[in-house]
Amino acid sequence: MQKAPREAQRVARELGLETDVFYADEPADYVAAFAGMRMARSEALVIISAPDFFRDAALLSRLALEAGLPTVCEWASMARDGCLIGYGPNFAELWRRPADYVARILRGAKPGELPIEQPTLFEFAVNLKTAKALGPHGPAVDPGSGR
């Protein structure tokens, strides 16, 4: 899980954004992590893709909302659980791909010759209830300005 925060920090630097990383190995660590975010005066939260965070999306979303932090999560379904924005690969499509590989192998394809595929179908979701609860945050955005 160490690579994802480093990659996110690299991209943030390229965009001129300042980042802090807060680690939570288990749900018992979440409250302390959010206290650290408050002390650091964090303005938003990116929840990286991890099985525990996916499982605890509703709890993390509630804690973020209590802290006044807009959240971006790595699965659209997490927006349904309360994250402000969810963006990531389509689950159903991810599960179809392995089935296709199995079918190819059963028809005689050599596993080592099958191409490695990346997701091609992504979902974007915005939780309007969370957006309304957070209220207006950050600088005004002019849709015509490209920023």
Side-chain angles (χ1 to χ4, degrees), residues 46-49 71-80 83-91 119-127:
V46 175
I47 299 177
I48 63 170
S49 181
T71 52
V72 176
C73 298
E74 293 201 34
W75 299 99
S77 64
M78 291 174 80
R80 290 186 283 279
C83 287
L84 176 61
I85 295 172
Y87 177 76
N90 175 280
F91 268 139
T120 57
L121 183 61
F122 290 81
E123 295 178 301
F124 178 81
V126 176
N127 185 313

Side-chain angles (χ1 to χ4, degrees), residues 19 40 44 55 92 110:
T19 61
R55 177 198 64 218
K110 295 180 181 171

Side-chain angles (χ1 to χ4, degrees), residues 20-46:
D20 292 305
V21 176
F22 298 89
Y23 292 95
D25 293 322
E26 57 185 304
D29 299 333
Y30 295 164
V31 172
F34 277 93
M37 290 176 222
R38 283 187 185 99
M39 286 180 45
R41 296 180 169 223
S42 298
E43 296 178 11
L45 172 63
V46 175

